[in-house]
Amino acid sequence: PGWKFAEVSREVRQFFETEIPGKSSYLINGDFDGNGKPDYATLIWHGQVRNGQGTMTWPRSFLVVFLRKGPGYRMYVIKEPDGEYLCLAHKGTKDFNYDEQKEITYANDAILTGILEKGGSSYVFEKGRFRSFVSSD
């Protein structure tokens, strides 16, 4: 109870309207685990983050991923993802892993989180879990 889809700034809304019309900033689908079945990822807010003085400062964010397993879905929750919106990187897309300083090619669809004009991270499913790395700077 108490969760809601993450809200974005006016600038991010405008970016989506002009650059990727019709796409959601908080909900994407792809095949993140490579099993050929549709998976979903969403960015939500639930609760509040407190600063050093104990004052609530901003909403706590979560990246929630649903991977299709048999007739149902398995849920993965990533606390405090690096980014304010979601995008999809398709399988085979080339990118750069700044953490390891090397070019990569996504083996499956990947979840991208971004902070407009500042940077972003990629979340890839490997060995039964999601791994993240900085993919834009």
Side-chain angles (χ1 to χ4, degrees), residues 1-132:
W3 71 271
K4 67 179 186 175
F5 290 116
E7 297 173 12
V8 294
S9 66
R10 182 177 47 79
E11 293 83 10
V12 171
R13 276 194 309 278
Q14 187 174 32
F15 169 77
F16 271 77
E17 289 170 4
T18 58
E19 300 298 322
I20 45 179
K23 297 294 183 182
S24 171
S25 61
Y26 59 82
L27 179 65
I28 61 172
N29 68 294
D31 181 10
F32 308 126
D33 58 1
N35 69 356
K37 299 185 186 299
D39 304 316
Y40 299 89
T42 188
L43 199 55
I44 66 166
W45 287 350
H46 184 266
Q48 295 283 319
V49 173
R50 296 178 184 269
N51 65 15
Q53 291 78 34
T55 304
M56 290 189 229
T57 55
W58 60 81
R60 183 174 304 279
S61 64
F62 297 88
L63 173 59
V64 183
V65 185
F66 298 92
L67 298 182
R68 183 69 185 243
K69 301 292 183 189
Y73 287 87
R74 178 163 181 213
M75 182 172 71
Y76 294 80
V77 178
I78 300 163
K79 296 177 183 177
E80 299 298 330
D82 298 323
E84 59 182 327
Y85 62 86
L86 297 180
C87 289
L88 178 69
H90 292 283
K91 175 182 178 176
T93 300
K94 295 185 184 313
D95 209 342
F96 194 80
N97 179 332
Y98 284 90
D99 293 349
E100 297 177 6
Q101 291 296 302
K102 67 179 186 178
E103 289 186 9
I104 58 109
T105 301
Y106 294 109
N108 299 309
D109 292 339
I111 302 164
L112 305 182
T113 60
I115 301 171
L116 192 62
E117 298 180 350
K118 292 187 178 156
S121 295
S122 294
Y123 292 82
V124 296
F125 191 74
E126 296 175 339
K127 299 178 183 173
R129 65 179 189 88
F130 280 91
R131 177 177 69 90
S132 71

